Amino acid sequence: MLLEKLINHLKLDKQEFLFQFNSHPNYPSALAFSDTLNFMGVRKNADRTSFRDEYRRL
């Protein structure tokens, strides 16, 4: 699963991430995902990239 790969890649606590994400008032949405990453201390930047290239990096 792509989400599990991302969680492992970022070295996040999987149970905590899923709890925060699933309990977000806007779940499921990009806002819920972004807020959860922010809560977990992950810095985010917007950039154009190829999904295929990023997926391969994981």
Side-chain angles (χ1 to χ4, degrees), residues 4 10 15 35 48:
E4 288 185 31
L10 296 174
Q15 286 184 317
D35 285 352
R48 288 184 186 244

Side-chain angles (χ1 to χ4, degrees), residues 2 10-11 20 22 37 46 54 56:
L2 184 58
L10 296 174
K11 297 177 175 65
Q20 294 298 329
N22 291 321
L37 289 175
E54 291 302 313
R56 287 183 186 146

Side-chain angles (χ1 to χ4, degrees), residues 3 5 9 30-31 46 48 52:
L3 183 58
K5 280 186 165 187
H9 180 75
L31 176 61
R48 288 184 186 244
R52 185 178 302 140

Side-chain angles (χ1 to χ4, degrees), residues 22-33:
N22 291 321
S23 63
H24 191 281
N26 295 101
Y27 174 84
S29 70
L31 176 61
F33 186 72

